[in-house]
Amino acid sequence: MKTKAIRKPKTLAEAVQGVSNRAFRRFGFSQREIISRWPEIVGAALADCSLPERLTFPQDDKRGGTLYIRIQGSMAPELQHFEPMVIERINAYYGYPAVERLSYRHGPVPTRTRKTRRPDPVLSDSQQKDLAEQLKGVTNPELYQALYRLGAEVVAEKKPDKPKDRLRFTRRGMGRRKPM
């Protein structure tokens, strides 16, 4: 009696990866990571003004290809100066001499959002003590640090209450403001 092979369901990431790999191969990218990791390969300054479009190879060969790059405005001469370095970095990323030359096309490049780190909130001594008191039952140090950072953000956003101005009426109907 034969046993049936049990297939596990694929995760969404695995399913999307297969579809996206086929789509990227259509444009000559054997690995889609060159687009997603473009800032790491060429650096943030060049990645802000350029974007790889497609990679073509000579017939029946996966070496010595041409990478077509869309570039913004006056940055084309700048990128031409860095062309040997960019080719070297791309080939180091692939692990073999995949790119031999770059070809440029002027056009708009979508702006990249950079992750900026906000400064840690400044808490008073009493706020720190209150927060530590609320978290004293947490034994896991990683969880404690995460909850402490979250609590610090919440506590730091609270503004101290200002005394409200109160309108005090007199006999003649003229109001006079006095702090509470």
Side-chain angles (χ1 to χ4, degrees):
M1 184 171 181
K2 290 185 178 180
T3 60
K4 287 187 176 182
I6 299 173
R7 282 197 254 170
K8 292 187 336 185
K10 285 186 178 181
T11 63
L12 184 60
E14 291 170 348
V16 169
Q17 184 177 10
V19 172
S20 65
N21 280 344
R22 275 186 255 133
F24 281 104
R25 266 191 232 113
R26 212 175 103 206
F27 292 101
F29 294 108
S30 61
Q31 299 175 346
R32 72 181 188 290
E33 285 84 17
I34 192 169
I35 293 175
S36 61
R37 296 182 187 266
W38 185 244
E40 297 170 21
I41 294 171
V42 297
L46 292 177
D48 287 343
C49 62
S50 64
L51 182 70
E53 286 189 329
R54 72 178 187 267
L55 180 60
T56 59
F57 294 104
Q59 194 168 13
D60 296 333
D61 195 12
K62 290 293 182 188
R63 295 176 182 271
T66 302
L67 179 65
Y68 292 86
I69 299 175
R70 185 181 335 149
I71 191 154
Q72 197 172 29
S74 63
M75 287 302 291
E78 187 78 20
L79 191 61
Q80 281 180 333
H81 287 293
F82 291 116
E83 184 171 340
M85 181 210 48
V86 171
I87 291 173
E88 181 182 326
R89 286 186 177 183
I90 293 169
N91 290 336
Y93 175 77
Y94 275 116
Y96 65 94
V99 176
E100 188 174 282
R101 62 183 224 103
L102 301 177
S103 180
Y104 307 106
R105 193 187 91 174
H106 287 278
V109 176
T111 58
R112 297 183 190 274
T113 56
R114 293 187 181 176
K115 295 178 182 176
T116 57
R117 180 170 162 81
R118 290 181 14 182
D120 291 334
V122 179
L123 300 178
S124 67
D125 291 337
S126 63
Q127 289 174 328
Q128 288 177 358
K129 287 178 186 175
D130 290 341
L131 192 55
E133 180 69 28
Q134 290 177 355
L135 296 175
K136 70 179 179 182
V138 179
T139 57
N140 186 344
E142 293 174 1
L143 179 61
Y144 180 85
Q145 289 296 323
L147 289 173
Y148 189 86
R149 284 192 305 267
L150 176 64
E153 289 287 337
V154 171
V155 170
E157 286 185 7
K158 291 184 180 177
K159 305 281 186 207
D161 293 333
K162 292 182 181 178
K164 294 182 181 177
D165 287 342
R166 186 188 233 176
L167 191 59
R168 188 172 170 108
F169 291 99
T170 59
R171 284 185 185 206
R172 297 188 180 179
M174 301 298 290
R176 189 171 143 204
R177 294 200 179 269
K178 285 189 175 181
M180 281 177 75

